[in-house]
Amino acid sequence: MKSLNRILSTIEQWFIGSLLLTITFILFINVILRRINMSLDWAEEFARYGIVWVTFVGASVCIYKGAHIGVDAITAFLPKKGKNILSSIVILISIIFTALFTYQAFKITYRVYSTGQISSTLGVPMIYIYGAMPLGGLLMLIRYSEKLVDSIKCIRGGKE
Amino acid sequence: MVTALFLILAFLLVFTVPVYIALSFSTAITLSLFTSIPLEVVPQRMFAGIDKFSLMAVPFFILAANVMKSGGLSARILKLANAAVGHFKGGLAMTVVVACMFFGAVSGSSPATVIAIGGLMIPALTRAGYEEKFSVGLISSSAAVAVIIPPSIGMIVYGSVTGVSVGDLFMAGIGPGILYGLAFIGYSYYYAVKNNLKPEKSSSPKELWLAFKDSFWALGIPVVIIGGIYGGFFTPTEAAAVAAVYAIFVSLFIYKDLNIKSLMKEAIESAVGTAQVMVLLAAASVFAWLLTRQQVPQALAETLISISNSKIAILLMMNIILLIVGMFIDPASSTMILAPLFLPLALAFSIDPVHLGIIMVVNGAIGMFTPPFGLNLFVASGVSKLPISRIVSGVIPFIILSLITLMLVTFVPQISLWLPNILR
Amino acid sequence: GKEDAGDASAVDQDEKVIEISYGHGFMPETPHHKAAIKFKEDVEAKSNNRIKVNLFPSGQLGSAREMFEGLQMGTQEIALVPTARISGFAPELQLFDLPFLFPTREIAYQIMDGKVGDELLHNLESQQVKGIAFYEDGFKHFTANNELRSIEDFRGVKFRTMESPIIMNQFRALGSNPVPIDFSELYNSLQLGVVDGQENPLVTILNMKFYEVQDYLMISSHAYLGHVLIFSNSWFNSLPEDIQEILVSTGRDVAQWQRAAVQEEEVAYLKTIEESGTTIIHLTEQERNVMRDATRSVHDEYRKLFGDDILDKTYEEIDRLNN
Ligand code: NA
Ligand code: NA
């Protein structure tokens, strides 16, 4: 299970890293092409939708790396055990929200699919772009579940 | 309903739920408790919040800043800055202010400026003895007020909502922009004196020349960005991508501090940083959507304005409304909602519409670094790895300073209007 | 109170106020928003205040694409959106984008209000949206920093365009270089010279202040920018019939009013633009024909994508109306 997670996370990271590089280079190349009057029609749209993918897949990586930004006001006053319990509750809340988000994201993606919405320049069905949300949601669910298990273990074992 | 929304948000934030979840979950709960609006709107607005080309500068500047850091560009620029201004009291902090002003002015994006300058300068300021929270506060706020200096997207938005000339607004932004720069430079000097920071020993012309020569290619970054934008080669968003590619090129082939493998590591790091910021913007757009749909800013504006009856009171109330709304809603949206409400009032009290525009843009800029929701604070937290609470305490002196300056800008219209009046 | 629910609901049925969110992307001073205000006032009056319309101008509820989606989901009830901005849902609406299709504004109106327009509106049903009527920005015109008099003046000029293949091909057919740039970056791009020119209706050229950073305006009326007033289908179907009738008839009546308002304002817009020092050039009939012939290939492109049916019907109607 653990090693499966590691593989998954490596794939996620490579995906978002290379996607970001690709977008950057495409916009750069487009600037040059424009000088010789050969603008790419789709560069701008590709950049916007690429960043959507980076965001929702990256949000899962952020969980893995503990990088999501939170307000830390009360943790400073809590004892170690209290911190662990609080963190479990927070993860539980996060799981509930992420499940809700994923379900609603599936719904809207299905709607986009069933009404056949397409993007305006790439002509790509919007499902491939909205799809970043349910997929990212699922990945986030996996990450948060993993965190919940770890955190409950901590409370049981009393360790950090 | 709105009370419930804010209570749930506050509750979730206090209990350390990640900010993006607190914002979108509180909206979802409020929607399902009080309305029959389908919750599909949550992912829809999250998508909409990041599907904006003008936000694209953020990921590219994150990438550029990370590559500059590990590719040795940052270190070289720092050495030069130290050699040039390190022997002045507060010189390094002043340099940061000026750098933020330039960078923010051209990129027009204050979070992108926090990343670009912060990633570079926070370590340097720390090494020179500045407290980390001071450095982060300095950068989050200087980057924000830099957007007052033209070109400025906020002014274009205001101009299109109200019919005021964008050219006049641009001219009017220069005075307040300089004033803010001077205020922060002054505070940097005061801070250095108060904390008795030891300046570096002054460098010989030869050392300065060497530092300049060594950082020559790194200095190409600002030259490319500023020259490229003002020369009409590319838009500010594209400039960010060009800067990133330039930094990659210099690190790989000239300084050779980076190889393909470490470049990939930086790309991943940057993508994670992108997600960190964008997911917040996504969630904030869900929250702001509900506030807008419930017409909360309008209600607030109508209530507060109805109790004021003099020009001074109206100006104060407008500032208060803008600051409160700016805490939760991005500057462009709050301008679109509030400018049509404020303009007739301004005209009734003979406030120049150009001046009102500057007041709105300055407030929008301040909102970027005021808690609880200030994008610059979150970005600064990502860049510096400092917790939000430390960043908030670091930014407080700058908020106070900005508010004092705001009062000057509000009650001395000439600061804004002298330049457009000369040129009109 | 809850105890006399039976009684109360009977009263409620009559007095329950239907609240509607009506969103659009135009600024408060435009004829579009004035039309929205008129719609609000008329609907509220005609329904004896059983309907309350909340207006959200300036894209407060999101972009055209997002509002369209809002209608599909039922998070918003009414939207007024540019046809060119919802081509992802209803590609055949790009008919309006075709260069030099409508010879006059009158003909454009008759087409939109006739069977072609009906069919286009009806097609929206498959998108869970009810099309009510066509509003307008009016004809699009070219602006640039170099003098535009004939097709030769377009050669090699960089024009900003929307991200739409049909519009990009129009510029290619004129020999220009289309550059897609986001609307929010357009003013700066014109000022700093990233692009040399752009195309928009007068209402946008004025409101976005593009004339401040453009030296020439060619009154080319080369393509039409329409808007469509749309209702959320599921919401609309759930309404009592008399309310439905009020909404539809008011929506259609206001369309006529809005078009007249745009035409009236355009006179003032042109004056402001001219006074700013921008040179206004009127495209001659002869040059217009040259440009029309040069861009006919774009019509064929449309034909390839969406079939002969709509385009042929439109041509037919235009021929009929021209005679
Ligand atoms: Na600026
Ligand atoms: Na804020």
Side-chain angles (χ1 to χ4, degrees):
Chain A
M1 193 63 204
K2 273 269 178 230
S3 66
L4 198 70
N5 270 330
R6 201 158 306 138
I7 294 170
L8 186 63
S9 133
T10 311
I11 295 175
E12 283 173 1
Q13 295 189 35
W14 272 82
F15 173 73
I16 57 173
S18 38
L19 184 55
L20 178 60
L21 277 183
T22 311
I23 296 166
T24 312
F25 274 95
I26 283 179
L27 278 198
F28 171 76
I29 290 167
N30 196 33
V31 167
I32 294 178
L33 287 179
R34 187 158 69 226
R35 298 312 294 178
I36 54 168
N37 293 328
M38 285 175 53
S39 284
L40 302 170
D41 301 357
W42 45 268
E44 192 182 311
E45 195 173 278
F46 183 83
R48 266 191 293 123
Y49 293 149
I51 293 297
V52 169
W53 272 95
V54 169
T55 303
F56 287 104
V57 175
S60 158
V61 182
C62 283
I63 300 169
Y64 175 79
K65 298 200 162 197
H68 275 303
I69 290 162
V71 178
D72 52 327
I74 65 163
T75 43
F77 307 106
L78 288 178
K80 199 178 271 178
K81 177 109 182 173
K83 265 185 212 167
N84 282 334
I85 293 175
L86 179 67
S87 114
S88 302
I89 296 173
V90 167
I91 295 168
L92 204 61
I93 293 176
S94 306
I95 288 180
I96 296 171
F97 172 75
T98 311
L100 172 87
F101 167 78
T102 311
Y103 170 67
Q104 296 296 343
F106 262 114
K107 259 174 69 177
I108 194 167
T109 308
Y110 180 73
R111 180 188 300 281
V112 161
Y113 165 73
S114 63
T115 55
Q117 200 190 137
I118 52 165
S119 81
S120 51
T121 37
L122 290 175
V124 173
M126 283 298 279
I127 179 181
Y128 292 119
I129 298 143
Y130 272 76
M133 290 196 288
L135 189 80
L138 279 179
L139 292 171
M140 285 190 254
L141 269 182
I142 296 175
R143 293 273 165 256
Y144 276 127
S145 313
E146 194 188 349
K147 282 223 151 178
L148 187 66
V149 172
D150 286 351
S151 149
I152 289 171
K153 270 188 202 152
C154 278
I155 299 175
R156 287 248 181 89
K159 55 183 166 59
E160 189 74 327
Chain B
M1 170 167 166
V2 177
T3 322
L5 175 67
F6 277 94
L7 284 178
I8 300 167
L9 174 68
F11 177 85
L12 292 174
L13 284 177
V14 166
F15 281 90
T16 69
V17 173
V19 177
Y20 82 98
I21 290 183
L23 281 165
S24 38
F25 204 9
S26 58
T27 313
I29 295 171
T30 312
L31 280 174
S32 48
L33 286 180
F34 296 94
T35 74
S36 54
I37 296 172
L39 291 184
E40 240 178 283
V41 76
V42 173
Q44 197 236 2
R45 292 315 302 173
M46 288 185 87
F47 186 93
I50 53 177
D51 179 22
K52 294 198 174 86
F53 192 68
S54 49
L55 288 178
M56 296 298 106
V58 171
F60 304 137
F61 276 126
I62 294 180
L63 180 62
N66 280 332
V67 170
M68 283 175 75
K69 205 167 14 167
S70 55
L73 282 78
S74 303
R76 287 171 172 88
I77 292 183
L78 279 187
K79 235 168 97 188
L80 177 68
N82 254 328
V85 299
H87 56 285
F88 296 115
K89 251 200 189 312
L92 200 55
M94 295 178 194
T95 314
V96 167
V97 174
V98 175
C100 280
M101 290 287 163
F102 266 105
F103 209 88
V106 292
S107 77
S109 161
S110 69
T113 308
V114 173
I115 294 155
I117 307 286
L120 185 73
M121 296 306 278
I122 293 170
L125 286 163
T126 310
R127 214 175 324 136
Y130 296 86
E131 284 174 286
E132 239 180 343
K133 64 173 197 180
F134 166 84
S135 318
V136 173
L138 179 74
I139 288 168
S140 323
S141 50
S142 311
V145 295
V147 301
I148 304 164
I149 301 168
S152 166
I153 291 187
M155 292 174 192
I156 296 176
V157 171
Y158 177 84
S160 67
V161 178
T162 58
V164 172
S165 154
V166 177
D168 282 355
L169 288 164
F170 279 6
M171 288 300 117
I174 292 174
I178 293 172
L179 186 67
Y180 267 93
L182 291 177
F184 287 176
I185 285 173
Y187 183 73
S188 303
Y189 180 74
Y190 165 79
Y191 177 91
V193 171
K194 196 185 84 180
N195 291 285
N196 199 22
L197 294 179
K198 297 220 167 36
E200 314 264 320
K201 64 169 181 55
S202 102
S203 323
S204 67
K206 194 176 167 217
E207 283 171 310
L208 195 61
W209 168 247
L210 283 176
F212 173 75
K213 224 176 69 180
D214 195 32
S215 62
F216 179 80
W217 286 100
L219 288 174
I221 294 257
V223 173
V224 164
I225 293 174
I226 295 172
I229 292 174
Y230 279 115
F233 291 97
F234 34 68
T235 68
T237 308
E238 291 168 336
V242 174
V245 171
Y246 179 89
I248 290 170
F249 178 81
V250 172
S251 329
L252 284 180
F253 302 113
I254 296 179
Y255 291 157
K256 297 186 177 136
D257 288 3
L258 216 59
N259 56 33
I260 295 291
K261 206 178 143 205
S262 48
L263 172 64
M264 199 55 212
K265 197 179 139 258
E266 294 309 320
I268 291 170
E269 193 72 19
S270 309
V272 171
T274 300
Q276 218 180 9
V277 174
M278 297 301 257
V279 87
L280 272 169
L281 283 171
S285 110
V286 183
F287 191 84
W289 178 84
L290 183 58
L291 291 185
T292 307
R293 203 178 185 284
Q294 294 310 117
Q295 302 190 298
V296 177
Q298 287 93 329
L300 181 73
E302 275 155 22
T303 321
L304 287 182
I305 281 174
S306 66
I307 57 173
S308 25
N309 50 17
S310 69
K311 187 169 172 174
I312 292 176
I314 282 284
L315 281 168
L316 279 176
M317 283 304 166
M318 283 178 178
N319 278 306
I320 291 169
I321 294 160
L322 287 166
L323 287 169
I324 295 174
V325 173
M327 285 178 184
F328 301 98
I329 294 183
D330 72 282
S333 307
S334 81
T335 302
M336 283 196 240
I337 297 169
L338 292 175
L341 290 170
F342 285 180
L343 187 68
L345 274 168
L347 294 173
F349 284 90
S350 60
I351 298 162
D352 192 302
V354 174
H355 184 214
L356 176 67
I358 298 301
I359 293 174
M360 295 199 77
V361 172
V362 174
N363 273 291
I366 293 175
M368 296 297 282
F369 62 95
T370 50
F373 190 80
L375 187 57
N376 284 15
L377 302 179
F378 299 128
V379 172
S381 169
V383 172
S384 65
K385 314 276 184 264
L386 279 184
I388 290 286
S389 55
R390 292 263 300 157
I391 292 179
V392 168
S393 77
V395 87
I396 282 173
F398 294 96
I399 293 178
I400 296 170
L401 195 61
S402 301
L403 291 180
I404 297 170
T405 316
L406 173 64
M407 287 300 104
L408 281 173
V409 172
T410 305
F411 291 109
V412 188
Q414 287 74 21
I415 296 172
S416 318
L417 298 179
W418 66 276
L419 199 52
N421 281 346
I422 291 175
L423 298 175
R424 230 176 242 174
Chain C
K2 269 224 163 106
E3 52 275 16
D4 46 28
D7 243 32
S9 69
V11 178
D12 272 350
Q13 210 73 63
D14 284 343
E15 304 207 327
K16 202 175 154 202
V17 174
I18 301 168
E19 267 201 67
I20 303 173
S21 301
Y22 177 164
H24 64 74
F26 311 97
M27 299 305 167
E29 286 310 307
T30 53
H32 310 62
H33 186 59
K34 287 173 190 157
I37 293 174
K38 188 171 166 51
F39 177 86
K40 171 188 163 74
E41 288 169 354
D42 289 0
V43 162
E44 289 179 352
K46 282 188 207 163
S47 69
N48 287 322
N49 291 317
R50 280 159 66 207
I51 307 176
K52 181 171 186 291
V53 184
N54 296 321
L55 298 179
F56 297 91
S58 324
Q60 288 179 18
L61 294 183
S63 68
R65 197 187 68 74
E66 292 153 15
M67 286 194 283
F68 195 104
E69 242 170 36
L71 299 191
Q72 293 179 323
M73 298 186 302
T75 59
Q76 179 185 337
E77 288 77 28
I78 301 183
L80 180 64
V81 289
T83 50
R85 287 278 176 197
I86 54 169
S87 61
F89 302 93
E92 64 281 1
L93 281 177
Q94 291 177 77
L95 180 72
F96 294 106
D97 299 342
L98 295 178
F100 303 101
L101 175 68
F102 298 135
T104 68
R105 213 154 177 155
E106 264 322 303
I107 289 180
Y109 293 157
Q110 299 210 38
I111 301 257
M112 290 188 296
D113 299 339
K115 60 181 186 195
V116 173
D118 277 348
E119 189 178 336
L120 289 170
L121 289 175
H122 183 78
N123 285 352
L124 289 167
E125 300 268 331
S126 68
Q127 288 288 332
Q128 305 157 359
V129 155
K130 189 169 177 61
I132 302 299
F134 289 102
Y135 289 51
E136 74 166 8
D137 262 9
F139 279 118
K140 292 193 283 187
H141 311 286
F142 298 108
T143 69
N145 279 327
N146 58 301
E147 204 168 329
L148 297 175
R149 288 199 181 274
S150 68
I151 192 166
E152 269 68 49
D153 301 323
F154 284 78
R155 197 143 298 151
V157 177
K158 285 201 224 25
F159 276 97
R160 177 268 175 182
T161 118
M162 289 197 343
E163 297 179 311
S164 143
I166 285 200
I167 299 179
M168 285 187 213
N169 283 333
Q170 164 200 290
F171 281 111
R172 290 196 182 103
L174 291 170
S176 323
N177 302 301
V179 178
I181 282 185
D182 194 78
F183 194 61
S184 65
E185 289 191 317
L186 180 51
Y187 181 95
N188 280 348
S189 299
L190 291 169
Q191 185 175 39
L192 298 170
V194 180
V195 286
D196 311 311
Q198 58 97 38
E199 56 158 26
N200 259 307
L202 291 177
V203 60
T204 308
I205 295 171
L206 186 103
N207 273 288
M208 293 306 295
K209 313 268 165 231
F210 295 145
Y211 63 93
E212 292 182 3
V213 286
Q214 294 274 268
D215 297 335
Y216 297 93
L217 163 65
M218 177 197 247
I219 300 296
S220 51
S221 306
H222 61 278
Y224 188 79
L225 205 93
H227 301 297
V228 55
L229 182 74
I230 43 179
F231 294 171
S232 163
N233 214 2
S234 54
W235 164 78
F236 182 80
N237 291 336
S238 74
L239 294 172
E241 229 161 82
D242 60 327
I243 299 275
Q244 287 185 341
E245 166 54 29
I246 292 173
L247 289 168
V248 171
S249 63
T250 313
R252 290 196 177 138
D253 292 348
V254 175
Q256 305 295 331
W257 184 91
Q258 192 261 0
R259 292 173 192 167
V262 172
Q263 292 207 35
E264 199 174 304
E265 299 265 337
E266 281 193 345
V267 180
Y269 294 160
L270 267 178
K271 203 162 156 249
T272 310
I273 294 170
E274 190 155 32
E275 279 167 4
S276 78
T278 303
T279 307
I280 296 177
I281 296 162
H282 291 268
L283 179 60
T284 62
E285 195 55 44
Q286 193 188 352
E287 282 302 327
R288 187 183 162 89
N289 290 340
V290 174
M291 286 174 74
R292 194 195 56 206
D293 294 344
T295 53
R296 258 310 113 136
S297 56
V298 184
H299 291 214
D300 300 334
E301 194 115 355
Y302 180 90
R303 194 183 287 283
K304 243 190 301 177
L305 290 170
F306 311 114
D308 301 329
D309 185 42
I310 290 184
L311 196 56
D312 282 343
K313 263 190 219 155
T314 311
Y315 283 166
E316 224 170 83
E317 284 278 285
I318 292 173
D319 277 346
R320 191 177 61 80
L321 293 164
N322 250 341
N323 297 322

